[in-house]
Amino acid sequence: MADAYVRFMREKMENAGCAVHPEFFHVEMCDLKVGGGFRPEDGIVVCANHLHTQEDVDHAVTHELIHAYDHCRAKTLDWNDCLHHACSEIRAATLSGDCAFKQELLRGNFGINKQFQTCVKRRALLSVNMNQACTGEKAEHAVEEAFQKCFKYSEPFDRIP
């Protein structure tokens, strides 16, 4: 994988004691309209039927590597705990490029005032809502409660890329 963010995240995972081997990545046809996913027991899934460019793949893999990094570092991360899940989704949306200006324009989302934060909350909420333990108001509450702390937490990056 040649993408700089993907290489960076793989290096940081290895430094944290969680080496990422080629078997960690799985390409699948996905039923849900998602670009990928992280399964703690298996690794990262890339959905071949929903990603159309190398840039799409790089963003999805970076997003999922942030989840894998969170899982590696936080030994007590519980994906069924809505706050834990929300925090990782907020971090992934913030740090992966999901909410870059270009990405938002391509989605038809354009706003001047705090568009980046609005995007991060929207994308985190979409993802947390997919967790059967965290739907509806539970997901909304978790994203709102976790947002300020988790949006600012940029590790392993020095700052939001």
Side-chain angles (χ1 to χ4, degrees), residues 38-41 63-72 74 76-90 92 127-128 130-134:
F38 171 64
R39 296 188 296 229
E41 64 283 353
H63 179 108
E64 301 310 333
L65 279 169
I66 291 164
H67 291 317
Y69 179 84
D70 288 349
H71 188 79
C72 170
T76 60
L77 195 150
D78 177 358
W79 292 98
N80 287 318
D81 181 313
C82 301
L83 279 173
H84 289 193
H85 190 173
C87 188
S88 190
E89 291 296 350
I90 289 164
S127 293
V128 176
M130 289 185 193
N131 180 341
Q132 292 181 352
C134 304

Side-chain angles (χ1 to χ4, degrees), residues 29-155:
M29 300 300 274
C30 301
D31 294 332
L32 296 175
K33 185 141 176 54
V34 295
F38 171 64
R39 296 188 296 229
E41 64 283 353
D42 294 328
I44 290 173
V45 173
V46 174
C47 298
N49 53 324
H50 299 299
L51 301 173
H52 305 291
T53 67
Q54 186 61 49
E55 184 178 23
D56 291 343
V57 172
D58 294 339
H59 280 158
V61 170
T62 302
H63 179 108
E64 301 310 333
L65 279 169
I66 291 164
H67 291 317
Y69 179 84
D70 288 349
H71 188 79
C72 170
R73 295 278 307 194
K75 303 298 183 199
T76 60
L77 195 150
D78 177 358
W79 292 98
N80 287 318
D81 181 313
C82 301
L83 279 173
H84 289 193
H85 190 173
C87 188
S88 190
E89 291 296 350
I90 289 164
R91 285 177 33 73
T94 301
L95 302 172
S96 68
D98 283 352
C99 291
F101 185 73
K102 176 185 171 188
Q103 294 299 109
E104 279 292 88
L105 275 181
L106 290 172
R107 290 184 195 110
N109 297 319
F110 180 75
I112 301 296
N113 193 20
K114 297 194 177 196
Q115 179 61 37
F116 185 75
Q117 291 89 332
T118 300
C119 173
V120 169
K121 283 183 179 181
R122 184 184 71 251
R123 303 220 17 112
L125 183 58
L126 285 169
S127 293
V128 176
N129 256 315
M130 289 185 193
N131 180 341
Q132 292 181 352
C134 304
T135 58
E137 287 183 18
K138 281 176 145 178
E140 290 174 27
H141 176 74
V143 169
E144 283 301 321
E145 189 172 330
F147 187 78
Q148 288 304 320
K149 179 180 178 187
C150 300
F151 180 75
K152 294 176 186 173
Y153 183 56
S154 63
E155 191 176 325

